[in-house]
Each structure stands twice: as C-alpha cells, then as structure tokens.
Amino acid sequence: MSESDAELSAEEMWDPQVARWRDPEGDYVLPRALRSLPQPWDEGDWDRIGDLPRTGERVAEARQVVTELLEDPELAPDVPQPPSPGLLRHVWEEFHQAVGERMPRMSQVTWAGVDELVREWRGRERLYPLQRHVADHVEVAILAMIPRLRDDTADSVFRWLTLDSDPGRFADWAVDTAERCVIEDIGADSAIELLGALGSPEARAALERLSVKPGGSASWDNAEAAQGRLFDLGNGEAERS
C-alpha cells in the first residue's frame, strides 16, 4: 500500500464523533441567526443581493447582518478536521452544494431534507468511499456548513458595500466591522477590499494593523492580502501624484 493509499484510508475510516443536534424550535439544522436572516441574504443569491438598492434601510440591515455573524458563537462551531490529505473537505462542499440546491433558503434546511439527500446518495449506482463517509457521518458535514455559510454571507455584505458609488460614507462603522471580520477570518478577502475602498485614514490604519506578520492580529494569508491592498493603494497614490 502506498503512502497516499494509507492517507486516504485514514480519511475513509475517520470517526468524527459528531452527534446529531436538535433545535428546540423545530427540525431545523442551522442556528437561528442564519435561518432568520432577511431576504435575500438568507439565500446567498448574489444576483439578487448585488441589485439591492443601497438605501439607508438596506445599509442598516446589512450592518445588522454582519454584526450578528460576528457575535453569535453558534456560528463558529468546533468542526473536527479530517486527517490528511483532507480530500473529505471537497466532498463536504459537494454535499453542501446539494443541500443548497434542494433547500435554497437557510430556514428550509431540515434534518428531514438532509436525510432525504443522504438516501439519494446511498442510492447512487456508484458511490465513492469519501461520499459514503459523508452519508455515514452527515452530521460533521453539516456542522462544517455552518461556518461556510457565515463566511459566504459576510463576504456578500462586504462586496455589496464595496460596490457602492461612495463606499466612504460607511467608514464610521464599517472600518471596525471589517477589521474584526478579517481577524475572525469571516469574509476576509472582501472585508480587506472594502477597507481599501473606504479611503479614510482609519481604514488605512486598519489595513496596516492587519498586515503585520508574524504575530499580528490576522492570519498569515489575510496579512498578506492586507499588504497587497496597501501596495495597490500606494501605487494608486503614486500614479495620481
């Protein structure tokens, strides 16, 4: 048996030991903070989100959405990580996509719907070993879906704000929120882009704090992204001078 075969077998035999949880409000799978998101944030449909008017009411709504994503501990569960080489994560994503197609709104995701998908996977003519692992341990795949949805939703908020004709008008609250999200690694790439678009001294100072490595407040990758955004801003200023 090759080394790669041994690693794959470790994933196939891995027991994540995640028990099924129950929500006191019903057969819901996702935390209340996700399933109570206003439309269209609750579907992650960028075509609809991108077309939202940037009215005061909608901006306040977006701010509330990202604030709840930051502050609710249920959205940051401790997800067991599969052993190397980590191919199982890709199969989780495949299952997440199937869940989203079947139950597009987060409030629609129920254990009954998840179990129906599992039955369909088991009924496939050919089920690969890691797909079988998801069917046997669907709870860990769904647990991993929670932080992914959190990240995707925050990403859509920051992208939507950045596309405003004058994103600097959000700087009084968005600088702190975006910096916190980069530190927490929630929608980090889009949060860094927003900080660059805000154009205020406070936003630049936030990027400088985030760019510190090693030992800075952000992860290595996010610190590099902040450095890159600062570099772009510096080049832009040089071209204008």
Side-chain angles (χ1 to χ4, degrees):
M1 178 182 292
S2 69
E3 183 178 349
S4 61
D5 289 338
E7 289 175 342
L8 186 58
S9 295
E11 284 199 274
E12 292 172 24
M13 297 184 295
W14 176 56
D15 182 1
Q17 298 184 343
V18 174
R20 180 162 300 197
W21 58 94
R22 295 294 182 183
D23 192 292
E25 298 181 11
D27 192 37
Y28 300 113
V29 169
L30 302 176
R32 193 174 193 280
L34 287 177
R35 65 176 189 266
S36 63
L37 289 173
Q39 293 189 39
W41 306 103
D42 65 338
E43 295 182 59
D45 184 345
W46 175 248
D47 289 337
R48 291 182 62 199
I49 292 170
D51 289 338
L52 287 176
R54 288 161 183 80
T55 61
E57 180 181 2
R58 283 297 192 179
V59 170
E61 180 181 85
R63 180 181 181 181
Q64 181 62 30
V65 165
V66 76
T67 298
E68 290 184 7
L69 296 178
L70 271 170
E71 295 182 351
D72 193 327
E74 288 191 351
L75 304 184
D78 184 13
V79 181
Q81 296 304 303
S84 295
L87 298 177
L88 189 55
R89 296 187 186 91
H90 299 295
V91 191
W92 287 351
E93 291 172 3
E94 179 188 355
F95 192 77
H96 297 165
Q97 182 177 353
V99 171
E101 290 171 354
R102 180 68 58 84
M103 297 165 275
R105 296 185 61 187
M106 298 186 201
S107 59
Q108 296 173 334
V109 184
T110 62
W111 285 116
V114 168
D115 288 340
E116 182 179 349
L117 278 173
V118 168
R119 285 192 292 272
E120 291 179 7
W121 274 41
R122 291 190 188 282
R124 289 180 176 182
E125 184 174 341
R126 183 174 182 182
L127 195 66
Y128 294 103
L130 292 182
Q131 292 173 327
R132 186 176 300 109
H133 188 282
V134 169
D136 292 340
H137 302 281
V138 70
E139 288 81 8
V140 72
I142 292 297
L143 192 67
M145 189 176 179
I146 294 171
R148 186 186 69 79
L149 289 172
R150 181 196 195 200
D151 181 70
D152 288 350
T153 305
D155 177 82
S156 65
V157 170
F158 292 127
R159 288 173 63 195
W160 182 75
L161 292 171
T162 302
L163 289 174
D164 188 82
S165 58
D166 180 23
R169 66 194 179 100
F170 312 129
D172 62 333
W173 62 268
V175 170
D176 177 65
T177 302
E179 183 176 7
R180 289 177 61 196
C181 281
V182 175
I183 293 169
E184 295 292 328
D185 201 19
I186 309 167
D189 287 343
S190 293
I192 288 169
E193 286 301 308
L194 177 61
L195 286 170
L198 292 175
S200 67
E202 292 80 8
R204 189 180 186 95
L207 285 171
E208 289 173 349
R209 288 191 295 271
L210 293 168
S211 69
V212 174
K213 62 176 187 178
S217 59
S219 69
W220 185 276
D221 288 344
N222 290 339
E224 284 208 337
Q227 286 182 358
R229 196 68 183 95
L230 284 169
F231 179 79
D232 293 341
L233 291 174
N235 280 348
E237 290 172 358
E239 290 174 359
R240 289 192 296 271
S241 61

